[in-house]
Amino acid sequence: MRGLPRPPQRGQAREWLGQGASIGAQHPPAAAAFRPLIELQHLERNPQALLDGRRPPNPVRFQYTLLRGRLRVARAWQRHRPTASATTAVLPAPRPAGADHGPHAPQGLLPPAPHPGGAVPPTLSGRQLPQHVAIIMDGNGRWAEAQGQLRSAGHHAGQHALRDVIYGAPEIGLPCLSVYAFSTENRARPAAEVETVLHVVSNGLDMNTEELWQRDVQLRWSGSSNDGRLPADLVDRIRRAARATRERTGLILNVCLNYGGRHELTHAARALARQAAHGGLDPDRITPRHLARHLYQPDLPDVDLLIRTSGEQRTSNFRPWQSTYAEYLFLDPLWPDIDRTHLWAAISTYATRDRRFGTTK
Ligand code: IPE
Ligand code: IPE
Ligand code: MG
């Protein structure tokens, strides 16, 4: 049937089916898709339990459940591309560091714009490269104040720095970059500043004027989408940009907007509680994998390297779950003074770190 999982997903599907009650804790679209199949299994094995013992199972009922299930499966797999499980996510192997990306850019897309000063990335092997770098882009306000300008000028300058860093990511072979653009706590700033920050983000998403959209970048969004704190047109714009770029493979750019780590964990806890309340999940069988599947963008790998600019040494509610074993790097420059060479230097430092994950050699 069109829309059913492709062959590599079928083995996983069978495994999920075998897990019975815990199916509700799988990645949401997959759970939606497979729940009717489990109903069918129950119908076959234990019809009385499913039908409350009142109605005997009959072929019409069976066919109805089958048809409804097929429709749901087809719809779910059409809407959501299959992804790896949250804890085993592995992104495509990064391209060789320092490679000329011209020929690699898919048709119709441009390679990253070269560094204005002609800088080229260091050559690192695939094993030395992180899969996922997350950046707390801090210091816009102080940068503007130091120049005798309004804070809003700092946010605009920060957007230019971000663009350069985005170009530098695929150049060195980094497959995934998360950037902290606006936190749930930032909502408490003066309304005019909040408006400026959101305006800057919105401009960056403008596919007609923003040259970034001509590059091989896949946009993702992590953050609260249903708390009414973002303008509806911005939410719409982010979703459209994510849809428009979802087939791109050069770089996954995960924009953390209206994002708070505690909100993210609360959101996941709510989803699990809902499943437990409906009997689809045994609370005693909840594992970290179950929770991870309800975080924002659950198919992205954990953060390997977390960078914060502006000299502050704190995480300010950023990606607490995904950064449990991240390497941290705190840089002194303010965000608008950053460019791709800082990203490359940070990745080179990361390559020298000895990651042990709690074990011994
Ligand atoms: C980071 O820069 C951008 C956002 C938080 C939106 P800041 O605005 O926090 O700049 P500083 O830290 O006040 O200098
Ligand atoms: C963190 O920076 C949020 C973003 C960079 C978007 P803040 O400037 O808001 O963090 P604090 O207030 O210094 O901890
Ligand atoms: Mg700050």
Side-chain angles (χ1 to χ4, degrees), residues 215-258:
R215 322 283 162 170
D216 192 10
V217 174
Q218 181 189 126
L219 182 96
R220 305 280 194 108
W221 171 27
S222 292
S224 296
S225 55
N226 56 2
D227 61 7
R229 307 297 289 262
L230 292 182
D233 63 322
L234 178 57
V235 171
D236 188 48
R237 188 170 271 207
I238 300 170
R239 291 203 166 125
R240 268 188 290 132
R243 263 200 309 277
T245 60
R246 69 183 167 195
E247 303 298 337
R248 297 180 177 185
T249 55
L251 170 73
I252 293 176
L253 175 65
N254 178 33
V255 177
C256 301
L257 181 78
N258 201 25

mmCIF file of all heavy atoms in Angstrom, residues 215-258:
data_model
loop_
_atom_site.group_PDB
_atom_site.id
_atom_site.type_symbol
_atom_site.label_atom_id
_atom_site.label_comp_id
_atom_site.label_asym_id
_atom_site.label_seq_id
_atom_site.Cartn_x
_atom_site.Cartn_y
_atom_site.Cartn_z
ATOM 1 N N ARG A 215 20.368 27.273 -0.149
ATOM 2 C CA ARG A 215 21.425 26.308 0.218
ATOM 3 C C ARG A 215 20.786 25.000 0.665
ATOM 4 O O ARG A 215 19.596 24.927 0.941
ATOM 5 C CB ARG A 215 22.295 26.866 1.351
ATOM 6 C CG ARG A 215 22.580 28.340 1.263
ATOM 7 C CD ARG A 215 23.635 28.678 0.224
ATOM 8 N NE ARG A 215 23.553 30.108 -0.109
ATOM 9 C CZ ARG A 215 24.440 30.758 -0.818
ATOM 10 N NH1 ARG A 215 25.494 30.138 -1.290
ATOM 11 N NH2 ARG A 215 24.295 32.040 -1.078
ATOM 12 N N ASP A 216 21.661 24.005 0.817
ATOM 13 C CA ASP A 216 21.167 22.661 1.138
ATOM 14 C C ASP A 216 20.966 22.519 2.656
ATOM 15 O O ASP A 216 21.677 21.775 3.335
ATOM 16 C CB ASP A 216 22.199 21.648 0.619
ATOM 17 C CG ASP A 216 21.660 20.232 0.644
ATOM 18 O OD1 ASP A 216 20.454 20.064 0.868
ATOM 19 O OD2 ASP A 216 22.466 19.311 0.449
ATOM 20 N N VAL A 217 19.996 23.256 3.195
ATOM 21 C CA VAL A 217 19.751 23.275 4.642
ATOM 22 C C VAL A 217 18.327 22.802 4.926
ATOM 23 O O VAL A 217 17.373 23.302 4.327
ATOM 24 C CB VAL A 217 19.941 24.711 5.205
ATOM 25 C CG1 VAL A 217 19.554 24.770 6.679
ATOM 26 C CG2 VAL A 217 21.382 25.162 5.018
ATOM 27 N N GLN A 218 18.197 21.859 5.830
ATOM 28 C CA GLN A 218 16.880 21.369 6.249
ATOM 29 C C GLN A 218 16.531 22.024 7.584
ATOM 30 O O GLN A 218 17.261 21.883 8.558
ATOM 31 C CB GLN A 218 16.952 19.844 6.423
ATOM 32 C CG GLN A 218 15.647 19.219 6.838
ATOM 33 C CD GLN A 218 15.821 17.756 7.217
ATOM 34 O OE1 GLN A 218 15.430 17.348 8.296
ATOM 35 N NE2 GLN A 218 16.413 16.961 6.339
ATOM 36 N N LEU A 219 15.422 22.731 7.613
ATOM 37 C CA LEU A 219 15.057 23.448 8.835
ATOM 38 C C LEU A 219 14.199 22.583 9.756
ATOM 39 O O LEU A 219 13.274 21.906 9.306
ATOM 40 C CB LEU A 219 14.280 24.711 8.486
ATOM 41 C CG LEU A 219 13.941 25.507 9.745
ATOM 42 C CD1 LEU A 219 14.950 26.604 9.987
ATOM 43 C CD2 LEU A 219 12.540 26.070 9.702
ATOM 44 N N ARG A 220 14.518 22.607 11.035
ATOM 45 C CA ARG A 220 13.669 21.992 12.061
ATOM 46 C C ARG A 220 13.363 23.062 13.106
ATOM 47 O O ARG A 220 14.108 24.025 13.249
ATOM 48 C CB ARG A 220 14.405 20.843 12.771
ATOM 49 C CG ARG A 220 14.934 19.769 11.857
ATOM 50 C CD ARG A 220 13.851 18.807 11.439
ATOM 51 N NE ARG A 220 14.459 17.631 10.838
ATOM 52 C CZ ARG A 220 14.508 16.436 11.437
ATOM 53 N NH1 ARG A 220 13.996 16.269 12.634
ATOM 54 N NH2 ARG A 220 15.071 15.419 10.816
ATOM 55 N N TRP A 221 12.331 22.812 13.890
ATOM 56 C CA TRP A 221 11.995 23.741 14.974
ATOM 57 C C TRP A 221 11.810 22.960 16.263
ATOM 58 O O TRP A 221 11.058 21.980 16.304
ATOM 59 C CB TRP A 221 10.706 24.502 14.629
ATOM 60 C CG TRP A 221 10.159 25.327 15.762
ATOM 61 C CD1 TRP A 221 10.852 25.878 16.800
ATOM 62 C CD2 TRP A 221 8.795 25.693 15.977
ATOM 63 N NE1 TRP A 221 10.020 26.575 17.626
ATOM 64 C CE2 TRP A 221 8.742 26.472 17.141
ATOM 65 C CE3 TRP A 221 7.616 25.434 15.276
ATOM 66 C CZ2 TRP A 221 7.548 27.000 17.637
ATOM 67 C CZ3 TRP A 221 6.439 25.958 15.772
ATOM 68 C CH2 TRP A 221 6.404 26.740 16.931
ATOM 69 N N SER A 222 12.495 23.396 17.314
ATOM 70 C CA SER A 222 12.266 22.847 18.652
ATOM 71 C C SER A 222 11.740 23.971 19.525
ATOM 72 O O SER A 222 12.374 25.021 19.627
ATOM 73 C CB SER A 222 13.569 22.311 19.257
ATOM 74 O OG SER A 222 14.006 21.176 18.560
ATOM 75 N N GLY A 223 10.594 23.744 20.151
ATOM 76 C CA GLY A 223 10.041 24.759 21.033
ATOM 77 C C GLY A 223 8.557 24.543 21.225
ATOM 78 O O GLY A 223 7.957 23.688 20.568
ATOM 79 N N SER A 224 7.976 25.325 22.142
ATOM 80 C CA SER A 224 6.540 25.199 22.406
ATOM 81 C C SER A 224 5.771 25.802 21.250
ATOM 82 O O SER A 224 5.978 26.963 20.898
ATOM 83 C CB SER A 224 6.155 25.947 23.690
ATOM 84 O OG SER A 224 6.799 25.357 24.779
ATOM 85 N N SER A 225 4.880 24.993 20.687
ATOM 86 C CA SER A 225 4.130 25.479 19.529
ATOM 87 C C SER A 225 2.694 25.813 19.905
ATOM 88 O O SER A 225 1.985 26.443 19.145
ATOM 89 C CB SER A 225 4.138 24.423 18.429
ATOM 90 O OG SER A 225 3.638 23.207 18.937
ATOM 91 N N ASN A 226 2.273 25.383 21.080
ATOM 92 C CA ASN A 226 0.845 25.501 21.386
ATOM 93 C C ASN A 226 0.558 26.332 22.636
ATOM 94 O O ASN A 226 -0.475 26.178 23.249
ATOM 95 C CB ASN A 226 0.233 24.093 21.548
ATOM 96 C CG ASN A 226 0.978 23.310 22.608
ATOM 97 O OD1 ASN A 226 1.903 23.842 23.220
ATOM 98 N ND2 ASN A 226 0.583 22.076 22.825
ATOM 99 N N ASP A 227 1.497 27.211 23.013
ATOM 100 C CA ASP A 227 1.243 28.013 24.213
ATOM 101 C C ASP A 227 0.770 29.423 23.862
ATOM 102 O O ASP A 227 0.611 30.271 24.737
ATOM 103 C CB ASP A 227 2.486 28.065 25.115
ATOM 104 C CG ASP A 227 3.696 28.700 24.405
ATOM 105 O OD1 ASP A 227 3.524 29.217 23.282
ATOM 106 O OD2 ASP A 227 4.791 28.681 24.977
ATOM 107 N N GLY A 228 0.569 29.663 22.563
ATOM 108 C CA GLY A 228 0.027 30.955 22.142
ATOM 109 C C GLY A 228 1.001 32.110 22.318
ATOM 110 O O GLY A 228 0.614 33.270 22.223
ATOM 111 N N ARG A 229 2.294 31.816 22.569
ATOM 112 C CA ARG A 229 3.238 32.898 22.811
ATOM 113 C C ARG A 229 3.943 33.371 21.543
ATOM 114 O O ARG A 229 4.637 34.371 21.557
ATOM 115 C CB ARG A 229 4.295 32.474 23.849
ATOM 116 C CG ARG A 229 3.697 31.943 25.143
ATOM 117 C CD ARG A 229 2.884 33.011 25.860
ATOM 118 N NE ARG A 229 3.697 34.038 26.440
ATOM 119 C CZ ARG A 229 4.062 34.073 27.720
ATOM 120 N NH1 ARG A 229 3.647 33.139 28.542
ATOM 121 N NH2 ARG A 229 4.802 35.053 28.186
ATOM 122 N N LEU A 230 3.787 32.615 20.467
ATOM 123 C CA LEU A 230 4.381 33.061 19.195
ATOM 124 C C LEU A 230 3.265 33.513 18.265
ATOM 125 O O LEU A 230 2.193 32.894 18.244
ATOM 126 C CB LEU A 230 5.141 31.911 18.527
ATOM 127 C CG LEU A 230 6.417 31.409 19.195
ATOM 128 C CD1 LEU A 230 7.046 30.304 18.357
ATOM 129 C CD2 LEU A 230 7.415 32.543 19.404
ATOM 130 N N PRO A 231 3.497 34.566 17.479
ATOM 131 C CA PRO A 231 2.468 34.989 16.528
ATOM 132 C C PRO A 231 2.136 33.848 15.561
ATOM 133 O O PRO A 231 3.036 33.137 15.114
ATOM 134 C CB PRO A 231 3.127 36.148 15.782
ATOM 135 C CG PRO A 231 4.310 36.548 16.588
ATOM 136 C CD PRO A 231 4.711 35.377 17.425
ATOM 137 N N ALA A 232 0.850 33.711 15.249
ATOM 138 C CA ALA A 232 0.410 32.597 14.397
ATOM 139 C C ALA A 232 1.117 32.612 13.045
ATOM 140 O O ALA A 232 1.463 31.555 12.501
ATOM 141 C CB ALA A 232 -1.103 32.658 14.211
ATOM 142 N N ASP A 233 1.358 33.825 12.498
ATOM 143 C CA ASP A 233 1.984 33.845 11.169
ATOM 144 C C ASP A 233 3.429 33.370 11.221
ATOM 145 O O ASP A 233 3.937 32.781 10.272
ATOM 146 C CB ASP A 233 1.867 35.232 10.519
ATOM 147 C CG ASP A 233 2.603 36.293 11.308
ATOM 148 O OD1 ASP A 233 2.582 36.231 12.558
ATOM 149 O OD2 ASP A 233 3.209 37.182 10.689
ATOM 150 N N LEU A 234 4.093 33.574 12.375
ATOM 151 C CA LEU A 234 5.465 33.084 12.513
ATOM 152 C C LEU A 234 5.473 31.553 12.599
ATOM 153 O O LEU A 234 6.284 30.880 11.945
ATOM 154 C CB LEU A 234 6.130 33.699 13.754
ATOM 155 C CG LEU A 234 7.559 33.239 14.048
ATOM 156 C CD1 LEU A 234 8.493 33.488 12.868
ATOM 157 C CD2 LEU A 234 8.121 33.930 15.294
ATOM 158 N N VAL A 235 4.541 31.020 13.384
ATOM 159 C CA VAL A 235 4.429 29.556 13.492
ATOM 160 C C VAL A 235 4.187 28.970 12.105
ATOM 161 O O VAL A 235 4.824 27.994 11.697
ATOM 162 C CB VAL A 235 3.285 29.162 14.467
ATOM 163 C CG1 VAL A 235 3.020 27.671 14.421
ATOM 164 C CG2 VAL A 235 3.621 29.626 15.886
ATOM 165 N N ASP A 236 3.305 29.620 11.379
ATOM 166 C CA ASP A 236 2.977 29.159 10.035
ATOM 167 C C ASP A 236 4.212 29.208 9.125
ATOM 168 O O ASP A 236 4.496 28.279 8.373
ATOM 169 C CB ASP A 236 1.866 30.078 9.498
ATOM 170 C CG ASP A 236 1.320 29.568 8.193
ATOM 171 O OD1 ASP A 236 1.015 28.376 8.141
ATOM 172 O OD2 ASP A 236 1.242 30.365 7.230
ATOM 173 N N ARG A 237 4.965 30.278 9.244
ATOM 174 C CA ARG A 237 6.145 30.459 8.398
ATOM 175 C C ARG A 237 7.210 29.393 8.711
ATOM 176 O O ARG A 237 7.832 28.834 7.818
ATOM 177 C CB ARG A 237 6.706 31.860 8.659
ATOM 178 C CG ARG A 237 7.790 32.264 7.734
ATOM 179 C CD ARG A 237 8.099 33.721 7.903
ATOM 180 N NE ARG A 237 7.267 34.540 7.039
ATOM 181 C CZ ARG A 237 7.619 35.739 6.584
ATOM 182 N NH1 ARG A 237 8.762 36.260 6.946
ATOM 183 N NH2 ARG A 237 6.836 36.417 5.798
ATOM 184 N N ILE A 238 7.387 29.113 10.011
ATOM 185 C CA ILE A 238 8.382 28.091 10.382
ATOM 186 C C ILE A 238 7.954 26.742 9.818
ATOM 187 O O ILE A 238 8.758 25.992 9.263
ATOM 188 C CB ILE A 238 8.500 27.950 11.918
ATOM 189 C CG1 ILE A 238 8.931 29.265 12.552
ATOM 190 C CG2 ILE A 238 9.480 26.851 12.288
ATOM 191 C CD1 ILE A 238 8.835 29.262 14.070
ATOM 192 N N ARG A 239 6.668 26.452 9.974
ATOM 193 C CA ARG A 239 6.203 25.135 9.510
ATOM 194 C C ARG A 239 6.347 25.008 7.995
ATOM 195 O O ARG A 239 6.716 23.951 7.490
ATOM 196 C CB ARG A 239 4.740 24.927 9.927
ATOM 197 C CG ARG A 239 4.628 24.781 11.437
ATOM 198 C CD ARG A 239 3.371 24.044 11.832
ATOM 199 N NE ARG A 239 3.468 23.628 13.225
ATOM 200 C CZ ARG A 239 2.586 23.921 14.157
ATOM 201 N NH1 ARG A 239 1.515 24.618 13.852
ATOM 202 N NH2 ARG A 239 2.754 23.495 15.396
ATOM 203 N N ARG A 240 6.056 26.096 7.303
ATOM 204 C CA ARG A 240 6.166 26.035 5.837
ATOM 205 C C ARG A 240 7.636 25.853 5.421
ATOM 206 O O ARG A 240 7.948 25.073 4.530
ATOM 207 C CB ARG A 240 5.589 27.292 5.198
ATOM 208 C CG ARG A 240 4.101 27.081 4.861
ATOM 209 C CD ARG A 240 3.524 28.213 4.051
ATOM 210 N NE ARG A 240 3.417 29.417 4.872
ATOM 211 C CZ ARG A 240 3.837 30.626 4.504
ATOM 212 N NH1 ARG A 240 4.380 30.806 3.322
ATOM 213 N NH2 ARG A 240 3.691 31.660 5.293
ATOM 214 N N ALA A 241 8.534 26.564 6.130
ATOM 215 C CA ALA A 241 9.964 26.435 5.802
ATOM 216 C C ALA A 241 10.443 25.009 6.095
ATOM 217 O O ALA A 241 11.221 24.440 5.326
ATOM 218 C CB ALA A 241 10.773 27.451 6.602
ATOM 219 N N ALA A 242 9.959 24.434 7.186
ATOM 220 C CA ALA A 242 10.368 23.063 7.532
ATOM 221 C C ALA A 242 9.869 22.083 6.467
ATOM 222 O O ALA A 242 10.600 21.191 6.036
ATOM 223 C CB ALA A 242 9.835 22.694 8.916
ATOM 224 N N ARG A 243 8.624 22.301 6.048
ATOM 225 C CA ARG A 243 8.061 21.408 5.012
ATOM 226 C C ARG A 243 8.835 21.550 3.697
ATOM 227 O O ARG A 243 9.191 20.576 3.051
ATOM 228 C CB ARG A 243 6.588 21.746 4.767
ATOM 229 C CG ARG A 243 5.617 20.851 5.536
ATOM 230 C CD ARG A 243 4.233 20.882 4.917
ATOM 231 N NE ARG A 243 3.708 22.217 4.699
ATOM 232 C CZ ARG A 243 3.103 22.959 5.623
ATOM 233 N NH1 ARG A 243 2.941 22.486 6.832
ATOM 234 N NH2 ARG A 243 2.662 24.160 5.350
ATOM 235 N N ALA A 244 9.120 22.797 3.343
ATOM 236 C CA ALA A 244 9.760 23.060 2.047
ATOM 237 C C ALA A 244 11.182 22.496 1.973
ATOM 238 O O ALA A 244 11.691 22.245 0.890
ATOM 239 C CB ALA A 244 9.786 24.564 1.779
ATOM 240 N N THR A 245 11.819 22.333 3.123
ATOM 241 C CA THR A 245 13.236 21.937 3.102
ATOM 242 C C THR A 245 13.456 20.508 3.593
ATOM 243 O O THR A 245 14.600 20.097 3.765
ATOM 244 C CB THR A 245 14.068 22.893 3.992
ATOM 245 O OG1 THR A 245 13.574 22.813 5.339
ATOM 246 C CG2 THR A 245 13.970 24.330 3.518
ATOM 247 N N ARG A 246 12.375 19.767 3.811
ATOM 248 C CA ARG A 246 12.541 18.492 4.525
ATOM 249 C C ARG A 246 13.319 17.426 3.758
ATOM 250 O O ARG A 246 13.814 16.481 4.345
ATOM 251 C CB ARG A 246 11.196 17.941 4.973
ATOM 252 C CG ARG A 246 10.321 17.474 3.853
ATOM 253 C CD ARG A 246 8.988 17.016 4.350
ATOM 254 N NE ARG A 246 8.107 16.885 3.207
ATOM 255 C CZ ARG A 246 6.813 16.784 3.279
ATOM 256 N NH1 ARG A 246 6.218 16.808 4.450
ATOM 257 N NH2 ARG A 246 6.086 16.657 2.199
ATOM 258 N N GLU A 247 13.466 17.590 2.436
ATOM 259 C CA GLU A 247 14.229 16.588 1.686
ATOM 260 C C GLU A 247 15.715 16.940 1.602
ATOM 261 O O GLU A 247 16.502 16.199 1.037
ATOM 262 C CB GLU A 247 13.683 16.448 0.251
ATOM 263 C CG GLU A 247 12.213 16.095 0.145
ATOM 264 C CD GLU A 247 11.888 14.740 0.772
ATOM 265 O OE1 GLU A 247 12.804 13.906 0.885
ATOM 266 O OE2 GLU A 247 10.723 14.543 1.169
ATOM 267 N N ARG A 248 16.087 18.071 2.151
ATOM 268 C CA ARG A 248 17.483 18.490 2.020
ATOM 269 C C ARG A 248 18.376 17.748 3.010
ATOM 270 O O ARG A 248 17.939 17.432 4.114
ATOM 271 C CB ARG A 248 17.596 19.995 2.253
ATOM 272 C CG ARG A 248 16.822 20.776 1.196
ATOM 273 C CD ARG A 248 16.938 22.242 1.445
ATOM 274 N NE ARG A 248 16.252 23.010 0.409
ATOM 275 C CZ ARG A 248 16.283 24.334 0.339
ATOM 276 N NH1 ARG A 248 16.953 25.024 1.240
ATOM 277 N NH2 ARG A 248 15.656 24.952 -0.614
ATOM 278 N N THR A 249 19.612 17.519 2.603
ATOM 279 C CA THR A 249 20.469 16.663 3.419
ATOM 280 C C THR A 249 21.811 17.291 3.794
ATOM 281 O O THR A 249 22.603 16.685 4.504
ATOM 282 C CB THR A 249 20.768 15.354 2.659
ATOM 283 O OG1 THR A 249 21.309 15.696 1.389
ATOM 284 C CG2 THR A 249 19.516 14.512 2.450
ATOM 285 N N GLY A 250 22.084 18.518 3.307
ATOM 286 C CA GLY A 250 23.399 19.118 3.549
ATOM 287 C C GLY A 250 23.654 19.407 5.016
ATOM 288 O O GLY A 250 24.733 19.147 5.547
ATOM 289 N N LEU A 251 22.646 19.990 5.686
ATOM 290 C CA LEU A 251 22.769 20.323 7.107
ATOM 291 C C LEU A 251 21.369 20.344 7.706
ATOM 292 O O LEU A 251 20.448 20.915 7.117
ATOM 293 C CB LEU A 251 23.398 21.724 7.280
ATOM 294 C CG LEU A 251 23.366 22.284 8.707
ATOM 295 C CD1 LEU A 251 24.384 21.562 9.588
ATOM 296 C CD2 LEU A 251 23.650 23.791 8.721
ATOM 297 N N ILE A 252 21.211 19.746 8.870
ATOM 298 C CA ILE A 252 19.958 19.921 9.614
ATOM 299 C C ILE A 252 20.174 21.104 10.544
ATOM 300 O O ILE A 252 21.086 21.084 11.382
ATOM 301 C CB ILE A 252 19.598 18.659 10.414
ATOM 302 C CG1 ILE A 252 19.260 17.520 9.458
ATOM 303 C CG2 ILE A 252 18.410 18.941 11.342
ATOM 304 C CD1 ILE A 252 18.977 16.201 10.145
ATOM 305 N N LEU A 253 19.354 22.131 10.371
ATOM 306 C CA LEU A 253 19.436 23.315 11.226
ATOM 307 C C LEU A 253 18.218 23.302 12.147
ATOM 308 O O LEU A 253 17.088 23.512 11.712
ATOM 309 C CB LEU A 253 19.433 24.591 10.374
ATOM 310 C CG LEU A 253 19.383 25.886 11.171
ATOM 311 C CD1 LEU A 253 20.641 26.062 12.014
ATOM 312 C CD2 LEU A 253 19.213 27.085 10.231
ATOM 313 N N ASN A 254 18.465 23.034 13.418
ATOM 314 C CA ASN A 254 17.381 22.924 14.395
ATOM 315 C C ASN A 254 17.295 24.232 15.163
ATOM 316 O O ASN A 254 18.141 24.523 16.015
ATOM 317 C CB ASN A 254 17.703 21.737 15.323
ATOM 318 C CG ASN A 254 16.666 21.551 16.399
ATOM 319 O OD1 ASN A 254 15.488 21.809 16.199
ATOM 320 N ND2 ASN A 254 17.098 21.107 17.571
ATOM 321 N N VAL A 255 16.291 25.038 14.843
ATOM 322 C CA VAL A 255 16.153 26.349 15.477
ATOM 323 C C VAL A 255 15.325 26.189 16.757
ATOM 324 O O VAL A 255 14.183 25.739 16.716
ATOM 325 C CB VAL A 255 15.472 27.345 14.517
ATOM 326 C CG1 VAL A 255 15.261 28.689 15.200
ATOM 327 C CG2 VAL A 255 16.320 27.524 13.267
ATOM 328 N N CYS A 256 15.950 26.540 17.879
ATOM 329 C CA CYS A 256 15.258 26.404 19.173
ATOM 330 C C CYS A 256 14.641 27.760 19.495
ATOM 331 O O CYS A 256 15.331 28.696 19.898
ATOM 332 C CB CYS A 256 16.233 25.946 20.250
ATOM 333 S SG CYS A 256 16.982 24.349 19.813
ATOM 334 N N LEU A 257 13.362 27.842 19.277
ATOM 335 C CA LEU A 257 12.641 29.112 19.361
ATOM 336 C C LEU A 257 11.432 28.926 20.264
ATOM 337 O O LEU A 257 10.668 27.975 20.089
ATOM 338 C CB LEU A 257 12.168 29.490 17.952
ATOM 339 C CG LEU A 257 11.418 30.794 17.821
ATOM 340 C CD1 LEU A 257 12.386 31.979 17.853
ATOM 341 C CD2 LEU A 257 10.615 30.837 16.526
ATOM 342 N N ASN A 258 11.278 29.833 21.225
ATOM 343 C CA ASN A 258 10.269 29.638 22.268
ATOM 344 C C ASN A 258 10.563 28.299 22.947
ATOM 345 O O ASN A 258 9.679 27.512 23.224
ATOM 346 C CB ASN A 258 8.862 29.641 21.668
ATOM 347 C CG ASN A 258 7.790 29.948 22.698
ATOM 348 O OD1 ASN A 258 8.062 30.598 23.713
ATOM 349 N ND2 ASN A 258 6.582 29.465 22.476
#
